[in-house]
Amino acid sequence: MIMYSLNAMAFAAMIASILLIVYPLTNPKSKTFHLEAKNAVKHAFFVSLIPLLLFISEGQMDTSASLKWFDLGISNLSLTTQFDKYAILFIPVALMVTWSILEFSTWYMHIDPNIDGFFKYLLIFLLAMITLVCAGNLLLLFMGWEGVGIMSFLLIGWYHARSNAAAAALQAVLYNRVGDIGFLLTFCWLMKMPSQWNPIVLSLQPSTILLIGFITAAASKSAQFGLHPWLASAMEGPTPVSALLHSSTMVVAGIFLLVRIHPLLSQNQTALTICLCLGAISTFFAATCALTQNDIKKIIAYSTSSQLGLMMVAIGLNFPYLAFFHICTHAFFKAMLFLCSGLIIHSINDEQDIRKMGGLQRALPMTTTCLSIGSLALMGIPFLAGFYSKDAIIEAANTSYVNSMALVLTLIATAFTAVYSMRLIYFASMTYPRTSPILLFDENDPRVLNSLSRLAVGSVLAGLLIFNVTLPNSPITHTMPPYMKLAALIITLLAFAIAYDLAKTFWTTTPINYAASKMYDPLFYNQIVHRTSTDSTLNSAGQIITHLMESILLKKFGPDHIEKTQLQPIKVIRISQTGLIKTYLSVLFVTLVFILTI
């Protein structure tokens, strides 16, 4: 009875926090809408802590509610919410990160004439993600899935008058359509089941094609290799959009879907292997791309893609709770990195090239400190947030029966993470300025300091706190050789030391000629895929249309059709034209009689 009442209290608190977010949307024309939205998310965060504290005290919690929509006969469509350990843990994280981003946005977007519309989009974006997380069946999850997709289109294309921003928004939607095909395939496949989430369905032996549909959906939403270009292009949106998109909403939706359906995945080795190999290739490729970038936002964007690959590796190892753990810790330091980059870009006259920065540790001490904390957490330096989840995934890979190539690629990507993070810290904040040292803004605005401070505390403490409340869903390895235990840490420290040495060596005046390595533009993938797919599609479509029009339509409905339709009347007329006088007199007589009788 006590457990029932606690579940009811948790459910009520979750619904209250969601209603608090919805409330500002009831009065969108308010003059202070952006402040009301920020306060609503802040209050929702504190309310959402109630279920979290109840979950920590009880050790378990699961509550759900179902609203029947309509009956199709073979299946009932219902809107089912489910507040289990994943929802109860993730929602406070998402709300805290969003609160910080919204507070930062009140400063960052204060000169935008349509700031209230911007905040409206951000709130709906957050609500769509919460809908996805709290979904108890595929129908509600699909609504949240499409919600984050359309809102990302609107937010990435916020500056839609710029052709690059409009193209980036369209690119994000088109790449996500690929995943939606996979999602709809599986959704329609499972429609015949009485409930798409119930234990009976999740314990069935799944079809590999079904799981490939889910993996395709997750790969497009979470920017895995092959469907990754939209993530870097999404940097065309305002920095707060990048921070929200890459930390706790859009990009983790795909991984969250796979975490939800892991009972199905765990029974199919083919699907797990696909996830493992796809994740390893993604994390390696994205880390390599981040090394070649000079744009501060693109470096952080590719680091997101790399970390998403690491989460996919955790799914492939059959450790979904580690993937979820990394989602939660990653949200804090990734949002902070983007906010720091936005502040730096604003301060130095919208310059995004890290080679034109430098010496900012004296001019922007708080920002560069947070940038360093975020980069160190991303590297997995011990006892920061990223260490607890990232190290655990690499340990799990080391101690599992795993594809050795996937393990090698993951370890190389870990080393590359340390290299590009060190390069980012060094070029942005150390030594001396490489451009005009005059700053347009300072960081002494409380809206900036408060949001960065919260995320910095989260980047330091979140790993330890979440580590103590997440429980593994399978036995874990407690003993292993020291070289396995320390592999990730040793590789990271070695790469960090080498990167520091390289950064000092190549720190020169602002370069006129590009280094050879910078000529390898990672956008080559876009050129190959977009042009090849477009050319092949248009050429094949042209050939089909030509064949249809010329060989079938024009011929069948043109000369052939005229010939067939006119032949019979011509034959009839030819028979009547005999040249005999009696035939003509007979016709005349018949027609005369016919007229007289009428």
Side-chain angles (χ1 to χ4, degrees):
M1 187 65 187
I2 295 172
M3 192 64 195
Y4 177 78
S5 62
L6 289 176
N7 279 344
M9 192 186 303
F11 182 77
M14 278 297 182
I15 296 297
S17 64
I18 293 169
L19 290 175
L20 278 169
I21 300 170
V22 173
Y23 177 71
L25 294 171
T26 59
N27 185 22
K29 298 196 182 295
S30 170
K31 296 289 186 187
T32 56
F33 178 83
H34 56 287
L35 298 176
E36 291 171 13
K38 186 261 292 184
N39 290 329
V41 173
K42 177 174 74 172
H43 297 143
F45 164 67
F46 288 115
V47 172
S48 71
L49 290 177
I50 297 169
L52 181 60
L53 295 173
L54 291 172
F55 172 72
I56 293 169
S57 65
E58 292 299 320
Q60 63 174 2
M61 189 156 290
D62 196 348
T63 177
S64 66
S66 182
L67 173 67
K68 186 174 178 180
W69 192 15
F70 60 84
D71 193 345
L72 290 175
I74 55 169
S75 64
N76 296 323
L77 291 182
S78 60
L79 304 175
T80 307
T81 57
Q82 178 180 3
F83 297 106
D84 60 350
K85 63 179 180 182
Y86 292 128
I88 287 169
L89 271 170
F90 182 80
I91 288 176
V93 171
L95 289 175
M96 183 177 176
V97 169
T98 309
W99 170 26
S100 300
I101 292 169
L102 290 180
E103 187 166 358
F104 181 86
S105 301
T106 57
W107 171 81
Y108 190 87
M109 302 292 288
H110 70 279
I111 58 170
D112 194 306
N114 197 17
I115 184 171
D116 290 341
F118 181 75
F119 273 73
K120 197 186 307 175
Y121 285 179
L122 288 181
L123 270 192
I124 299 170
F125 195 26
L126 175 64
L127 279 171
M129 189 62 196
I130 290 174
T131 304
L132 188 149
V133 171
C134 298
N137 62 2
L138 282 177
L139 177 63
L140 196 60
L141 193 144
F142 187 63
M143 289 180 180
W145 185 271
E146 288 302 309
V148 293
I150 190 64
M151 294 316 299
S152 68
F153 169 74
L154 294 172
L155 286 165
I156 293 167
W158 182 252
Y159 299 127
H160 49 80
R162 293 209 318 257
S163 60
N164 284 350
L170 195 59
Q171 189 179 1
V173 167
L174 291 177
Y175 271 100
N176 280 287
R177 289 308 91 185
V178 178
D180 290 346
I181 293 167
F183 197 113
L184 281 171
L185 167 74
T186 54
F187 182 56
C188 296
W189 192 310
L190 293 171
M191 276 276 284
K192 57 189 176 185
M193 301 295 181
S195 170
Q196 297 102 344
W197 251 190
N198 67 8
I200 299 168
V201 175
L202 291 179
S203 61
L204 292 175
Q205 190 66 31
S207 161
T208 304
I209 298 172
L210 184 80
L211 295 176
I212 288 174
F214 273 127
I215 293 167
T216 306
S220 73
K221 195 68 83 175
S222 293
Q224 298 301 297
F225 180 74
L227 298 169
H228 64 276
W230 72 267
L231 195 67
S233 302
M235 295 302 96
E236 292 295 332
T239 300
V241 173
S242 304
L244 192 58
L245 191 82
H246 285 241
S247 61
S248 56
T249 52
M250 174 89 166
V251 295
V252 296
I255 302 296
F256 194 86
L257 172 67
L258 296 183
V259 170
R260 277 283 192 219
I261 62 153
H262 80 267
L264 287 175
L265 284 171
S266 61
Q267 300 174 57
N268 192 304
Q269 283 304 314
T270 306
L272 289 176
T273 304
I274 290 170
C275 286
L276 177 70
C277 296
L278 182 64
I281 293 168
S282 300
T283 189
F284 171 74
F285 180 80
T288 309
C289 287
L291 288 179
T292 66
Q293 291 295 306
N294 294 314
D295 184 322
I296 186 169
K297 286 179 73 175
K298 289 276 179 73
I299 293 172
I300 302 170
Y302 278 115
S303 79
T304 303
S305 195
S306 182
Q307 297 308 301
L308 290 166
L310 194 61
M311 295 172 202
M312 189 66 96
V313 167
I315 298 283
L317 294 170
N318 206 12
F319 288 103
Y321 74 96
L322 287 182
F324 177 75
F325 187 10
H326 199 48
I327 285 173
C328 293
T329 55
H330 174 260
F332 287 101
F333 55 79
K334 189 50 55 79
M336 184 169 69
L337 283 171
F338 271 112
L339 296 190
C340 291
S341 70
L343 182 58
I344 290 170
I345 291 165
H346 245 35
S347 300
I348 58 174
N349 199 19
D350 296 335
E351 179 56 66
Q352 296 186 202
D353 194 329
I354 58 169
R355 296 166 302 173
K356 297 179 182 177
M357 298 177 188
L360 294 174
Q361 81 273 23
R362 294 181 182 84
L364 301 169
M366 177 69 182
T367 307
T368 50
T369 301
C370 290
L371 187 75
S372 300
I373 291 171
S375 297
L376 294 172
L378 178 65
M379 279 191 267
I381 296 299
F383 312 117
L384 295 177
F387 166 75
Y388 290 92
S389 53
K390 187 176 179 180
D391 210 62
I393 293 171
I394 295 167
E395 274 181 23
N398 281 333
T399 55
S400 301
Y401 292 103
V402 72
N403 184 325
S404 57
M405 199 64 209
L407 178 60
V408 168
L409 288 177
T410 307
L411 291 173
I412 293 172
T414 305
F416 283 175
T417 303
V419 175
Y420 65 70
S421 298
M422 176 60 224
R423 181 168 171 261
L424 182 63
I425 295 170
Y426 195 93
F427 275 69
S429 52
M430 297 173 74
T431 64
Y432 53 85
R434 308 181 82 186
T435 53
S436 170
I438 299 169
L439 298 182
L440 301 179
F441 296 94
D442 62 31
E443 60 180 11
N444 296 322
D445 193 300
R447 295 170 292 183
V448 173
L449 294 176
N450 292 342
S451 51
L452 288 181
S453 302
R454 275 194 299 275
L455 292 172
V457 170
S459 300
V460 175
L461 298 178
L464 181 61
L465 296 176
I466 300 169
F467 170 72
N468 287 323
V469 296
T470 51
L471 297 172
N473 59 343
S474 57
I476 55 174
T477 306
H478 291 284
T479 57
M480 63 188 79
Y483 66 86
M484 278 190 178
K485 182 76 178 170
L486 298 173
L489 187 59
I490 290 168
I491 286 170
T492 300
L493 292 176
L494 276 174
F496 187 84
I498 292 167
Y500 179 69
D501 199 44
L502 287 172
K504 282 198 302 183
T505 304
F506 290 102
W507 179 270
T508 57
T509 55
T510 306
I512 298 169
N513 297 321
Y514 288 104
S517 62
K518 299 298 179 285
M519 299 301 287
Y520 303 119
D521 186 357
L523 292 178
F524 74 89
Y525 183 90
N526 295 19
Q527 311 300 337
I528 293 170
V529 172
H530 294 180
R531 288 182 184 178
T532 307
S533 60
T534 308
D535 286 352
S536 59
T537 305
L538 290 175
N539 288 338
S540 55
Q543 289 170 2
I544 292 166
I545 291 296
T546 304
H547 178 69
L548 279 172
M549 288 293 290
E550 291 184 359
S551 305
I552 299 172
L553 294 176
L554 288 177
K555 192 172 181 184
K556 295 294 182 189
F557 293 100
D560 283 5
H561 179 70
I562 292 168
E563 181 186 341
K564 286 177 183 176
T565 53
Q566 298 300 316
L567 195 59
Q568 200 62 31
I570 287 169
K571 283 180 180 177
V572 173
I573 292 167
R574 186 187 298 164
I575 290 167
S576 67
Q577 301 297 325
T578 58
L580 298 173
I581 191 68
K582 62 181 180 182
T583 307
Y584 300 142
L585 287 172
S586 300
V587 171
L588 175 64
F589 180 72
V590 170
T591 52
L592 186 62
V593 170
F594 181 71
I595 291 166
L596 289 172
T597 53
I598 291 172

